Amino acid sequence: MKQKHFYILLFGVLCVNFLGLFNDIFDVDSALYACISKHIVNTNDFVNLIVWDKDWLDKPHFPFWVCAISMKILGVNSFAYKLPSFVFFCIGLWYTYKLAKVLYNRTIAQYSVLITGTALHIMLSNNDVRAEAILLGLIMGGIYHLYQFSNKNTVTHLFAAALFSAFAVMTKGVFILIILYSAIWGDLVLRNKWKNIFNIKWILVGALTLIFTLPEIFALYYQFDAHPEKIVFGTTNVSGIKFFFWDSQFGRFFNSGPIKGEGDPFFFLHTVLWAFAPWALIAYSGLFIELYQRVKKGIVADEYITVCGFGVIFIIFSISKFQLPHYTNIVFPLLAIHTSQTLVRWSDRKKWIEQVSKISIQLYCGLFFMICIGIVFFYFNEVKYLGATLSGILLGCIVYYNLKKGTVQKHIVMGIICSLIMGTFIHEVFYKDVLTYQGGTAAARYLNEEFEGREVHQDVESWLFQFYLNAKHQSSIDLESLQNTPPESRPLIYTDYSFLKKLEKKNIPYQIINQYGSFHITTMNLAFLNAETRASSLDTLLIIDLKIPQLSKTNECEKKNL
């Protein structure tokens, strides 16, 4: 691929993924992490992670630190919270390019970056950001510098490898080291480079990684181990350090920790089919070729970093009890490198690879078009000009693609273009509307505009409401104290209809100021997606005023989305 064509496509990849930064935060996990980062900003406490005024022990500190620093600079808002994830995503693309280039060549490196940036779930995750976006950059940086250190033994790569490894551990836990070292050591084992494994230099990397991880260990000790009286997970004497080194990752894997889950061994096998669209079928074909060449023919490949880095953690994830689609994102760059070399190196030798790539791109691009059209007519049930325009452009690309004589590069470029159109449609058409059904966001913004300075209490759990609300906020409501509070001093309350019954039993007067239709959009169902039945799928959330009978604002009842 010509360099200028690569830069044009890369610019498109960065722009489409950047669009997600301007959308609201998603409930639940993203909003929860945003609230923790907001607490750090408001209190300047970078040691204690607090949720609902209680100590929180689930994830390490690093992603909250970087998000809090961003919000310190840019203010508490969606863009500032999401920006670090996008920065680390870009770092991940950079190291994907560097690793692919050192393993293969510039062409494969270019395709690897473009394939990573256009994988469907990567684009989705740059809207609904979690720790995995940050982790993607840290893992690729760690693998690249570990690989270079294993060959060159330079101090620069030593420190960089240890630093990236430590940051990755402080983002997701020590379990993440399995990805880093399975990629490097797996490659050395399969290429019979045993001397490189049994080398004291790895002890040095491990020791430096541990040193760089000390801020996390100190924070956990200070918040939990030094305070055995704290109640965490319903009990006392909880060690934050033990949770960090064992329960948070290995405890979940063996389902023996305080947080348990259920799993399906085939979950990630079919998840990759849509999450790595439109490249999944090509990726599976490449993995099949690699296995066949090694097992049946005994041929040693040029590298096993990508296969081992992806394959080992894929197997571990599959047998684990904790399974979520975004877990796969962190190893998609490795899968992208392997997919790229499959397309470039094997298409000439295995004609069926070219056919697989053609069929795969045709299939996924067709599905993308059907999804866009389905959303326009089923979800909106009306003409959305941007959605219709993007759907038309996508259809035009598909027709042009099928008329023009095929080459491997044409397949790749068409897959990239169709993915970028699909990503734009999701960010700017679908999510733009879906996010308006998050009642907590709408309620908080209304209160910020109309009741600035009023105290607000929250009766229903909503991290979004807590993040976007500017006013003094309290997450617990004591009805007895409310009864004894003079009416003019009573707060506004964000709640649902069940709370009104409690007020009526206590004879506490109230007035509904506003109400919102709300839906948990990360778990969509057909009732919500269907424009005809959407209203019946929404929960009703209320803003009520207890300052009765003298209200400071007129009684208005907005029934948006109901």
Side-chain angles (χ1 to χ4, degrees):
M1 179 182 290
K2 292 183 179 179
Q3 198 76 354
K4 65 177 182 180
H5 294 156
F6 168 67
Y7 286 137
I8 291 171
L9 291 173
L10 178 61
F11 179 75
V13 168
L14 295 178
C15 286
V16 171
N17 282 281
F18 192 70
L19 290 174
L21 274 66
F22 298 97
N23 289 336
D24 290 335
I25 297 171
F26 281 60
D27 222 3
V28 174
D29 286 352
S30 296
L32 169 61
Y33 302 156
C35 287
I36 296 172
S37 301
K38 179 182 177 181
H39 181 270
I40 293 174
V41 173
N42 290 339
T43 62
N44 289 314
D45 181 358
F46 282 79
V47 174
N48 297 289
L49 300 183
I50 304 297
V51 173
W52 291 121
D53 300 322
K54 295 180 180 178
D55 295 278
W56 188 77
L57 179 61
D58 188 14
K59 297 290 190 297
H61 287 64
F62 185 77
F64 306 115
W65 286 339
V66 295
C67 290
I69 292 171
S70 176
M71 289 193 288
K72 277 279 190 183
I73 298 170
L74 301 174
V76 178
N77 54 66
S78 306
F79 181 86
Y81 168 69
K82 293 183 178 185
L83 183 60
S85 296
F86 181 78
V87 171
F88 278 95
F89 163 71
C90 293
I91 292 173
L93 293 184
W94 168 247
Y95 276 109
T96 298
Y97 182 90
K98 289 175 71 68
L99 180 63
K101 188 176 180 181
V102 76
L103 293 177
Y104 295 104
N105 55 52
R106 189 184 73 176
T107 299
I108 292 176
Q110 291 173 339
Y111 289 151
S112 300
V113 169
L114 297 175
I115 288 173
T116 301
T118 54
L120 181 59
H121 207 280
I122 291 289
M123 293 188 292
L124 296 180
S125 296
N126 277 319
N127 203 325
D128 181 17
V129 299
R130 308 177 192 220
E132 278 67 25
I134 294 174
L135 202 56
L136 184 149
L138 297 174
I139 286 175
M140 292 310 297
I143 290 176
Y144 171 77
H145 288 292
L146 283 171
Y147 174 74
Q148 292 288 58
F149 180 66
S150 70
N151 293 315
K152 298 180 179 180
N153 297 330
T154 62
V155 175
T156 300
H157 289 302
L158 166 64
F159 275 87
L163 193 63
F164 273 102
S165 299
F167 286 165
V169 168
M170 291 192 291
T171 298
K172 200 68 175 179
V174 294
F175 201 75
I176 215 66
L177 294 177
I178 294 177
I179 300 177
L180 300 177
Y181 286 95
S182 64
I184 303 303
W185 289 352
D187 175 73
L188 295 174
V189 168
L190 292 176
R191 292 196 293 131
N192 297 315
K193 294 187 175 183
W194 295 96
K195 289 183 179 180
N196 281 13
I197 295 178
F198 299 105
N199 195 308
I200 195 173
K201 65 185 179 183
W202 298 113
I203 298 177
L204 188 58
V205 176
L208 271 178
T209 301
L210 181 61
I211 291 172
F212 290 145
T213 311
L214 287 177
E216 176 67 31
I217 296 173
F218 168 78
L220 291 168
Y221 176 82
Y222 183 88
Q223 184 174 4
F224 297 102
D225 294 70
H227 298 280
E229 74 282 358
K230 289 184 176 180
I231 299 176
V232 184
F233 303 126
T235 184
T236 56
N237 293 300
V238 173
S239 170
I241 296 176
K242 175 180 177 292
F243 182 87
F244 173 66
F245 280 106
W246 181 260
D247 292 330
S248 67
Q249 301 292 300
F250 295 100
R252 292 189 181 190
F253 173 70
F254 294 110
N255 217 31
S256 60
I259 304 175
K260 302 183 184 296
E262 298 178 359
D264 170 13
F266 301 103
F267 177 82
F268 289 108
L269 193 64
H270 57 73
T271 293
V272 170
L273 286 174
W274 69 264
F276 199 59
W279 316 107
L281 295 179
I282 305 171
Y284 280 148
S285 299
L287 292 172
F288 171 79
I289 289 176
E290 196 74 65
L291 184 64
Y292 178 80
Q293 292 291 318
R294 177 76 191 191
V295 175
K296 289 291 185 179
K297 295 188 175 182
I299 299 175
V300 179
D302 294 335
E303 59 87 15
Y304 291 101
I305 289 177
T306 54
V307 173
C308 292
F310 171 79
V312 171
I313 203 65
F314 183 87
I315 293 171
I316 291 174
F317 281 164
S318 295
I319 61 180
S320 169
K321 296 299 182 181
F322 277 84
Q323 299 173 340
L324 292 169
H326 59 268
Y327 287 179
T328 57
N329 287 18
I330 58 180
V331 287
F332 275 176
L334 297 174
L335 189 59
I337 295 173
H338 196 268
T339 302
S340 299
Q341 69 89 21
T342 297
L343 287 166
V344 174
R345 301 174 74 220
W346 287 102
S347 292
D348 293 336
R349 298 183 233 177
K350 304 283 186 182
K351 291 299 180 183
W352 64 272
I353 285 293
E354 184 174 341
Q355 290 301 312
V356 168
S357 65
K358 180 180 179 180
I359 293 171
S360 176
I361 299 302
Q362 287 176 330
L363 175 63
Y364 280 112
C365 290
L367 287 173
F368 287 166
F369 173 73
M370 292 171 61
I371 291 170
C372 291
I373 291 297
I375 289 173
V376 169
F377 289 101
F378 186 71
Y379 176 83
F380 289 107
N381 200 19
E382 62 181 2
V383 176
K384 286 288 182 181
Y385 293 107
L386 179 57
T389 300
L390 290 171
S391 300
I393 295 173
L394 182 55
L395 179 60
C397 290
I398 295 171
V399 172
Y400 176 76
Y401 168 63
N402 283 281
L403 290 176
K404 190 177 179 182
K405 186 178 180 181
T407 62
V408 172
Q409 179 171 314
K410 189 199 78 169
H411 302 328
I412 298 173
V413 171
M414 190 51 55
I416 292 167
I417 292 173
C418 290
S419 291
L420 293 179
I421 296 171
M422 182 66 182
T424 304
F425 183 95
I426 291 172
H427 290 320
E428 293 300 303
V429 179
F430 184 54
Y431 279 159
K432 279 284 192 230
D433 191 81
V434 166
L435 287 165
T436 64
Y437 291 92
Q438 296 192 131
T441 303
R445 285 178 172 152
Y446 172 77
L447 290 172
N448 292 339
E449 293 175 3
E450 300 295 332
F451 291 89
E452 184 179 358
R454 281 286 301 276
E455 183 178 352
V456 179
H457 288 201
Q458 181 178 345
D459 180 60
V460 291
E461 184 177 285
S462 173
W463 309 117
L464 288 170
F465 182 78
Q466 184 176 340
F467 178 77
Y468 285 106
L469 186 69
N470 296 332
K472 183 180 178 181
H473 171 266
Q474 187 169 316
S475 58
S476 60
I477 300 174
D478 185 348
L479 289 177
E480 298 297 332
S481 64
L482 277 179
Q483 278 186 307
N484 298 324
T485 302
E488 64 274 10
S489 301
R490 290 174 181 171
L492 294 164
I493 295 181
Y494 176 62
T495 186
D496 56 18
Y497 275 110
S498 64
F499 185 73
L500 301 186
K501 297 178 181 178
K502 298 177 183 177
L503 292 176
E504 290 166 359
K505 286 184 179 180
K506 295 288 186 179
N507 293 319
I508 299 176
Y510 64 85
Q511 187 160 0
I512 298 176
I513 300 299
N514 226 328
Q515 61 184 28
Y516 303 89
S518 185
F519 190 85
H520 185 189
I521 64 172
T522 55
T523 56
M524 296 182 195
N525 55 33
L526 286 177
F528 174 77
L529 290 173
N530 187 349
E532 301 295 332
T533 59
R534 187 170 305 130
S536 63
S537 71
L538 303 178
D539 297 320
T540 302
L541 299 172
L542 310 168
I543 298 174
I544 63 174
D545 198 337
L546 304 182
K547 190 185 286 188
I548 305 295
Q550 188 64 40
L551 284 173
S552 60
K553 296 286 177 182
T554 58
N555 178 23
E556 59 174 315
C557 181
E558 178 186 320
K559 296 184 178 180
K560 175 177 171 55
N561 299 331
L562 290 178

